[in-house]
Amino acid sequence: MIRKPLAILSGLAACMAAAPALAAQPTPWQTRFQPAATSIMEQTTWFEIYTLWFILPITVLVMLLLGWVIVKYRASANPTPSRTSHNTLIEVIWTVGPVVVLLFLAVPSFQLLSAQYSPPEDPAITIKATGVQWYWDYEYQTEEPLSFSSLILADDDRAGLGKEDRAAYPRLLAVDNEVVVPVDTTVRVLVTASDVIHAFAMPAFGVKTDAVPGRINEIWFKAKKEGIYYGQCSELCGKDHAFMPIAVRVVSADQYDTWLAAARSDLAGANKALMAATDAQTKVAAAGE
């Protein structure tokens, strides 16, 4: 009676160990941000919580004042309304109060905005992302450039690409060719489009910018944790707007160098080799827990 549960648990553990390391993706009934994978997203999450300390009390105060006015100054209870037109104290309060609140919000807001456009170090990697109806083209701007297209993963292609695990490669978010970057490395992304306006958005990284034809916008990120991260085009760009995902695979520096060297001649083979390496790494990590 005891062996069967143990066997089931062992099988589940093996399945979990065999799956690629997950990083961040949407979850059912999600109401909060995805787990932060960069310092910018950590600051963004902090700022959102910080603003709630102002928004919630103000909302409650306004609702209480509104209820008090409705009850106390309704026509039946106050048949003769006051003709008072000015109150100096109240006018000072409702002028100075919002100014103080805005100052408390403006200072960290400007600091975060500045950080979003000012990487702490020169980017080690530059990738050009071009939005196309309805997929993404990527170009690694290295000494020997690497270019490829990234399309939504079709169900018929899952087996051939080794991406049958829908937990790691979810429907409508997984792609055939992920962007691969090394962990703890500053990456610059030059974003543009070839036809209409798209938007490059990666929630876990805290980055989002429009992809505008004829213009280049610049963003950066520095992922702290290995795994696969998912985003989507966030600008209505046509009938297949919902089928234009973005996937970034963050790996170790050695794995990235090996992948980049192999991908220039055989992208599909390099991707499969990288997946095998990350799967093996996950198994070793799970075995050591």
Side-chain angles (χ1 to χ4, degrees), residues 72-83:
K72 184 171 183 179
Y73 297 103
R74 66 190 190 277
S76 59
N78 190 46
T80 305
S82 172
R83 294 184 178 276

Side-chain angles (χ1 to χ4, degrees), residues 5 13 15 18 30 33 66 77 79 90 94 98 100 108 117 136 140 165 174 191 224 231 237 240 247 287:
C15 291
Q30 183 174 354
F33 295 135
L66 184 60
I90 293 178
W94 76 38
V100 173
Y117 290 96
W136 292 91
Y140 285 68
D165 182 359
V191 183
K224 296 182 177 182
C237 58
D240 284 343

Side-chain angles (χ1 to χ4, degrees), residues 25-274:
Q25 59 180 259
T27 58
W29 301 100
Q30 183 174 354
T31 58
R32 298 291 299 160
F33 295 135
Q34 293 183 18
T38 65
S39 61
I40 291 298
M41 190 57 198
E42 289 175 350
Q43 295 177 54
T44 302
T45 303
W46 174 88
F47 183 67
E48 187 260 351
I49 297 173
Y50 173 77
T51 57
L52 287 178
W53 285 102
F54 295 90
I55 294 173
L56 292 177
I58 292 172
T59 302
V60 172
L61 175 63
V62 171
M63 292 179 64
L64 291 175
L65 289 175
L66 184 60
W68 178 66
V69 169
I70 291 173
V71 173
K72 184 171 183 179
Y73 297 103
R74 66 190 190 277
S76 59
N78 190 46
T80 305
S82 172
R83 294 184 178 276
T84 302
S85 59
H86 296 283
N87 186 299
T88 303
L89 178 60
I90 293 178
E91 291 177 0
V92 170
I93 292 174
W94 76 38
T95 301
V96 176
V99 171
V100 173
V101 171
L102 288 176
L103 285 175
F104 275 98
L105 293 177
V107 173
S109 174
F110 291 151
Q111 291 175 338
L112 176 57
L113 183 63
S114 175
Q116 288 177 327
Y117 290 96
S118 305
E121 58 191 9
D122 291 337
I125 300 172
T126 298
I127 302 173
K128 182 180 180 182
T130 303
V132 187
Q133 288 180 313
W134 287 272
Y135 59 91
W136 292 91
D137 282 335
Y138 296 104
E139 178 184 341
Y140 285 68
Q141 299 188 347
T142 55
E143 293 183 2
E144 298 180 35
L146 167 66
S147 300
F148 59 85
S149 297
S150 180
L151 287 78
I152 189 170
L153 179 63
D155 288 340
D156 294 342
D157 296 334
R158 284 183 177 273
L161 296 175
K163 298 180 178 180
E164 296 176 289
D165 182 359
R166 291 178 180 265
Y169 304 101
R171 179 178 174 271
L172 300 182
L173 288 175
V175 300
D176 54 356
N177 299 312
E178 296 93 1
V179 176
V180 179
V181 298
V183 70
D184 293 325
T185 302
T186 301
V187 179
R188 175 199 290 124
V189 183
L190 305 178
V191 183
T192 186
S194 64
D195 36 45
V196 300
I197 297 177
H198 302 277
F200 187 95
M202 184 59 62
F205 293 170
V207 297
K208 179 181 182 295
T209 190
D210 282 345
V212 183
R215 296 185 61 181
I216 294 180
N217 290 326
E218 180 179 324
I219 56 176
W220 69 275
F221 62 85
K222 185 177 181 179
K224 296 182 177 182
K225 180 182 177 182
E226 296 181 30
I228 306 175
Y229 298 86
Y230 293 104
Q232 288 178 299
C233 173
S234 297
E235 190 74 46
L236 188 59
C237 58
K239 71 179 184 67
D240 284 343
H241 161 68
F243 307 101
M244 195 174 169
I246 302 165
V248 178
R249 186 188 292 270
V250 181
V251 298
S252 67
D254 291 340
Q255 289 173 336
Y256 168 77
D257 292 337
T258 301
W259 172 86
L260 185 63
R264 292 191 176 101
S265 57
D266 182 9
L267 178 62
N271 287 340
K272 289 185 177 180
L274 181 61

